[in-house]
Amino acid sequence: QVQLVESGGGLVQPGDSLTLRCEGSGFTLDYYAAGWFRQATGKEREGVACFSKRDGTIVYAGSVKGRFTISKDHAKTTVYLQMNNLRPDDTGVYYCAAAPFYSGAYTLGPEEYDYWGQGTQVTVSS
């Protein structure tokens, strides 16, 4: 079955960088969309970045555009999130999610994704 395991979270200071890693199994990134989401305490889960279509189209949330970069390694079925210039409002639990590609495009709506990891905590604080 499809499984996702996130790692790489931690406590960092504002302005620092962090790279999250999502290791998948039971599927291939050739046929599955994947994305990163986050949830701050008391807030709804929100999309951060995703591979929207099979052609490699990427979608970023406006709040992270220019600071975060999503990438993937098909051979390792691993999706990364490079986060630079972190801010306190980036704090939250970060989740990786996946769903099969179809003829349309995925967005950053969490409800569109079928499979989820357990999450990794990112805390940005001075």
Side-chain angles (χ1 to χ4, degrees), residues 75-114:
K76 298 180 180 178
T77 316
T78 299
V79 182
Y80 303 91
L81 186 68
Q82 173 68 42
M83 305 186 293
N84 297 327
N85 192 21
L86 282 160
R87 308 185 308 214
D89 60 358
D90 293 318
T91 295
V93 179
Y94 281 70
Y95 299 91
C96 179
F101 280 125
Y102 67 110
S103 59
Y106 281 95
T107 71
L108 293 175
E111 68 280 358
E112 298 181 16
Y113 294 78
D114 300 318

Side-chain angles (χ1 to χ4, degrees), residues 28-43:
T28 170
L29 289 171
D30 290 337
Y31 298 104
Y32 273 67
W36 286 95
F37 300 78
R38 65 187 181 188
Q39 188 166 18
T41 302
K43 294 188 176 181

Side-chain angles (χ1 to χ4, degrees), residues 5-12 17-23 36 80-81 83 86 94 119-123:
V5 179
E6 302 95 336
S7 61
L11 172 62
V12 297
S17 297
L18 207 58
T19 300
L20 304 183
R21 180 186 180 106
C22 171
E23 295 182 72
W36 286 95
Y80 303 91
L81 186 68
M83 305 186 293
L86 282 160
Y94 281 70
T120 184
Q121 176 71 45
V122 173
T123 303

Side-chain angles (χ1 to χ4, degrees), residues 9-76:
L11 172 62
V12 297
Q13 295 187 338
D16 284 352
S17 297
L18 207 58
T19 300
L20 304 183
R21 180 186 180 106
C22 171
E23 295 182 72
S25 60
F27 69 102
T28 170
L29 289 171
D30 290 337
Y31 298 104
Y32 273 67
W36 286 95
F37 300 78
R38 65 187 181 188
Q39 188 166 18
T41 302
K43 294 188 176 181
E44 292 189 355
R45 192 170 298 187
E46 63 175 357
V48 175
C50 74
F51 289 97
S52 173
K53 298 167 63 176
R54 196 173 172 187
D55 65 2
T57 300
I58 293 174
V59 178
Y60 289 103
S63 60
V64 307
K65 197 173 293 185
R67 300 189 298 123
F68 291 11
T69 302
I70 189 172
S71 61
K72 58 183 175 177
D73 184 332
H74 285 249
K76 298 180 180 178

